[in-house]
Amino acid sequence: MEKPKSVTATQLTMSIGTSIIGVGILAFPRITVEYVRTGAPMAAICAMLLMMCGGIVVAYLGNQYRERTIFEYADELVGQWIGRLLLVCIGAYFLELAALASREFGEVVVTSVLQRTPIEVTVFVMVLMATVACRSDIIVFARILTFYMPFVYFPALVIVVLSLKSAQSANLMPLLGMFYGQQVKSVFMSIMVVAALFTNYIIVGLIIPFMYQPTRAMRGTIVGIGIAGSLYIILMFSTLSVFGIEEMDNLLWPTMELAKTAALPTFYIERLDPIFIAVWVTAVFSAIFAAYYVAIQALSHVFRLKNHRGLSILALPIIMLLAKLPPNIVSLYHVIKQVGVSGLCLTLGYPLLLLIAHVIKTARVKSSI
């Protein structure tokens, strides 16, 4: 069945850029520095290029099957049973991703702002908003993410620029630190940790069938991932240049501390970290919304549901339960690293498997002619 064409290439780009920036923006500089020290910015660049390759694969497949989403044409390429098994894994992974992001959001809020509010309340409010938003169709999904993009990027960039007054270039040296004296495992893990922040790029495969010009999806995907990756790289350079590796080892959320160093010399605005928190909440909602939506779409296809709205409600208690499992924030970040890195096998391996199946199918068709 032909799908309505209502999404532009610009909306695709903005949707990708918004969905990738999420809760991990606070802690990822510290985690990356733990692995490769001053080579952290280079690790972020490598991660962005890696995920661009994944985005190119998804966009290419989307152009080959323009009337079907990535979950729909998988049945044709790998078979229904294998396709369903993979979609169950993807659905479970993105539900866990949404749960961990919600829990991390709750930890930050109750620590920094609402210190007397139970963490369960903050987590439930965020998950409830994402649940309500997930009842919309893919066209509305893309429009919501597009709408939020300016509110995420512009204030974040302004705060970064204002915080650079405290930057010291010596803190960045050696700039290619990941290539000197670092174990291969540390370099690999640093790239994987940052790449895990990009997993929502898979929404490309859901949006392409609804585009006016699917042929422009490739460019839109590359630009969208590039925009998000550029913000991560800028934040990595900024936090590292302001704090240095020694101080960053002692900061739980370096990006939050970076916002506290930013200030305008006026009577009205002297601290910008409250503004940053407001921007960050918007980014967190967008990322949780995107992960939640991917999970619901995947599981809806598994159960052959014509309408995903009911499933979005049923998933709410599951996400709340998963969010409550880590006993403390130390365990939470340990689980986040494990789930994020292992999940790349799905988010990169799944499109790659479909690409291989597509190439084999195409070769068989040509040979039979």
Side-chain angles (χ1 to χ4, degrees), residues 58-126:
V58 176
Y60 170 78
L61 289 171
N63 271 288
Q64 304 305 308
Y65 305 92
R66 296 184 181 181
E67 293 301 326
R68 287 176 284 178
T69 68
I70 190 172
F71 300 147
E72 291 171 346
Y73 58 72
D75 290 345
E76 177 184 335
L77 293 176
V78 297
Q80 288 191 0
W81 288 105
I82 297 177
R84 288 187 183 185
L85 178 61
L86 290 172
L87 288 185
V88 168
C89 295
I90 289 175
Y93 168 69
F94 277 97
L95 282 179
E96 175 68 10
L97 205 65
L100 292 175
S102 302
R103 172 63 183 273
E104 189 176 0
F105 165 77
E107 292 284 357
V108 175
V109 169
V110 299
T111 302
S112 305
V113 185
L114 306 175
Q115 299 178 357
R116 296 183 180 182
T117 303
I119 190 172
E120 293 82 4
V121 174
T122 57
V123 172
F124 177 74
V125 170
M126 179 57 74

Side-chain angles (χ1 to χ4, degrees), residues 67-361:
E67 293 301 326
R68 287 176 284 178
T69 68
I70 190 172
F71 300 147
E72 291 171 346
Y73 58 72
D75 290 345
E76 177 184 335
L77 293 176
V78 297
Q80 288 191 0
W81 288 105
I82 297 177
R84 288 187 183 185
L85 178 61
L86 290 172
L87 288 185
V88 168
C89 295
I90 289 175
Y93 168 69
F94 277 97
L95 282 179
E96 175 68 10
L97 205 65
L100 292 175
S102 302
R103 172 63 183 273
E104 189 176 0
F105 165 77
E107 292 284 357
V108 175
V109 169
V110 299
T111 302
S112 305
V113 185
L114 306 175
Q115 299 178 357
R116 296 183 180 182
T117 303
I119 190 172
E120 293 82 4
V121 174
T122 57
V123 172
F124 177 74
V125 170
M126 179 57 74
V127 175
L128 180 62
M129 289 193 300
T131 301
V132 174
C134 278
R135 292 172 59 82
S136 57
D137 58 29
I138 292 182
I139 296 173
V140 176
F141 166 76
R143 289 174 179 172
I144 291 174
L145 293 178
T146 301
F147 173 78
Y148 280 125
M149 186 177 183
F151 299 102
V152 173
Y153 279 82
F154 180 71
L157 291 174
V158 169
I159 290 172
V160 167
V161 171
L162 294 175
S163 66
L164 291 180
K165 66 181 186 300
S166 305
Q168 297 182 16
S169 58
N171 290 334
L172 297 172
M173 302 301 169
L175 189 59
L176 301 178
M178 67 182 293
F179 300 110
Y180 298 101
Q182 301 293 342
Q183 296 181 354
V184 175
K185 181 181 178 181
S186 296
V187 174
F188 174 78
M189 286 299 298
S190 67
I191 296 175
M192 292 300 102
V193 165
V194 181
L197 301 172
F198 290 76
T199 49
N200 280 342
Y201 86 96
I202 202 77
I203 65 171
V204 174
L206 299 178
I207 295 177
I208 288 178
F210 298 87
M211 292 182 64
Y212 286 115
Q213 298 175 298
T215 53
R216 299 181 62 185
M218 182 78 73
R219 179 182 177 183
T221 301
I222 294 173
V223 174
I225 295 175
I227 290 173
S230 297
L231 182 57
Y232 279 127
I233 294 166
I234 290 170
L235 287 172
M236 188 69 79
F237 271 112
S238 302
T239 53
L240 190 58
S241 63
V242 171
F243 300 117
I245 56 176
E246 289 81 7
E247 189 171 352
M248 283 183 67
D249 287 336
N250 300 316
L251 297 176
L252 183 59
W253 299 308
T255 310
M256 180 78 76
E257 300 302 322
L258 182 72
K260 292 180 180 179
T261 66
L264 288 174
T266 66
F267 177 76
Y268 299 103
I269 304 177
E270 294 184 356
R271 291 186 59 183
L272 296 180
D273 50 302
I275 298 176
F276 176 79
I277 292 176
V279 172
W280 174 76
V281 169
T282 304
V284 171
F285 168 76
S286 301
I288 294 174
F289 172 42
Y292 201 159
Y293 200 86
V294 171
I296 295 302
Q297 289 293 325
L299 295 176
S300 295
H301 188 71
V302 170
F303 298 114
R304 297 296 188 265
L305 300 178
K306 294 183 178 180
N307 194 315
H308 67 275
R309 293 183 177 182
L311 188 59
S312 65
I313 300 295
L314 294 176
L316 189 151
I318 298 175
I319 291 181
M320 289 297 299
L321 178 62
L322 292 173
K324 196 175 181 180
L325 290 180
N328 52 57
I329 195 168
V330 176
S331 299
L332 173 64
Y333 279 111
H334 180 68
V335 173
I336 286 174
K337 283 196 287 186
Q338 287 186 326
V339 172
V341 173
S342 60
L344 285 173
C345 297
L346 276 174
T347 53
L348 287 176
Y350 180 69
L352 182 60
L353 176 63
L354 297 183
L355 177 64
I356 294 172
H358 169 73
V359 171
I360 294 174
K361 176 190 172 184

